[in-house]
Amino acid sequence: MSRKNQTLGEFIIENQAEFQYSSGELSRLINSIRLAAKVVNHEVNKAGLVDIVGAVGETNIQGEDQQKLDVMANDTFIRTLTNRNILCGIASEENDDFISLEGQNGDNNNKYILLMDPLDGSSNIDVNVSVGTIFSIYRRVTPPGTPVTIDDFLQPGREQVAAGYIVYGTSTMIVYTTGHGVNGFTLNPAIGTFYLSHPNMQFPEMGNIYSVNEGNYVHFPEGVKKYIKYCQEEGEGRPYTSRYIGSLVSDIHRNMIKGGVYMYPKSSKATNGKLRLLYECNPMAFIAEQAGGKASDGFTRILDLKPTELHERVPFFCGSKLMVEKAESFMNND
């Protein structure tokens, strides 16, 4: 039973028995993420004071300009997680390929792999808008003692054992699930400790916020256009409020607290969608479902999709259950 004012460390210990593979590694892994989050938070919060904003002059595997903070966050998480000797592999949105990690004896006996978007929404950092980190954890499918392979990373989202995100905003929060509900922890910067501030987080079944980049409206499928118009019409609690930050972590976090739907559909500019299945959609879908919400590509449950490549993109509809279902109805009737 979670109780407010617990520290994250206390919460992990108290709830470790709920995790079916309770042998300590997952607890150490969450603790490592907590440590890396505090380092990244420190850098994000001083971004206006030092030369860490702007692009580095390189692009990542997605063809996107890498920001200096992207590189810093990526390096920080990889270094911290590698040093703790808990994982056998890491995949990052910022890296072309996955990283195979050796154990202390060079035997790769660790059980877990981690996928991450180290700094979601980093293009917003120059204008002081909230950014975040998204992470997803699986048990490896290849035999322990062998190097990880691509098969360890291309698992359906339903196989996740934990997922979470970190918001670097007005306050810094870690929100995560191990399949037993969703809990949020807020950093007290004075003492560097995360405290349970949002126990048992739940998406309201219905909300009044829709989040989509309406600048791409003319490029959207007809079903999405019709749903957006539906959101704007009078009737049954409508028109809804339009709220779009452009930072996935911030948009999902707000909608989970207030009730709403987030949409990043495919378009004539991005025929497969823009968001990455492994680094963004799967972890957010796992969190959403654990919080009573829903996530799909407009037709199929996100967690049932079988990935075919490391940087695969998919359309994404996520949020309050009834709102996602309504959006799906417009897609299916198109």
Side-chain angles (χ1 to χ4, degrees), residues 217 220-227 330-331 334:
Y217 179 87
F220 289 153
E222 199 60 34
V224 175
K225 291 179 181 178
K226 289 178 179 177
Y227 178 66
F330 278 91
M331 297 289 289
D334 181 27

Side-chain angles (χ1 to χ4, degrees), residues 149-162:
T149 72
I150 190 66
D151 292 336
D152 291 302
F153 297 91
L154 298 185
Q155 299 185 54
R158 62 176 178 267
E159 300 299 329
Q160 290 173 99
V161 297

Side-chain angles (χ1 to χ4, degrees), residues 87-196:
L87 297 169
C88 54
I90 298 173
S92 168
E93 183 182 300
E94 297 300 324
N95 291 6
D96 293 4
D97 205 354
F98 64 85
I99 301 168
S100 181
L101 302 176
E102 294 185 350
Q104 288 179 327
N105 301 317
D107 51 13
N108 277 282
N109 275 318
N110 294 326
K111 301 182 182 74
Y112 297 105
I113 60 109
L114 180 139
L115 301 102
M116 65 174 175
D117 180 351
L119 204 64
D120 169 72
S122 58
S123 60
N124 283 325
I125 201 75
D126 292 2
V127 291
N128 207 18
V129 171
S130 296
V131 294
T133 296
I134 309 170
F135 62 90
S136 177
I137 301 168
Y138 296 79
R139 281 176 67 87
R140 67 184 301 170
V141 295
T142 50
T146 64
V148 292
T149 72
I150 190 66
D151 292 336
D152 291 302
F153 297 91
L154 298 185
Q155 299 185 54
R158 62 176 178 267
E159 300 299 329
Q160 290 173 99
V161 297
Y165 60 80
I166 301 143
V167 186
Y168 310 106
T170 309
S171 56
T172 298
M173 285 187 65
I174 292 179
V175 175
Y176 82 100
T177 181
T178 58
H180 298 275
V182 179
N183 293 279
F185 301 81
T186 300
L187 178 66
N188 180 340
I191 56 177
T193 302
F194 284 94
Y195 286 94
L196 179 62

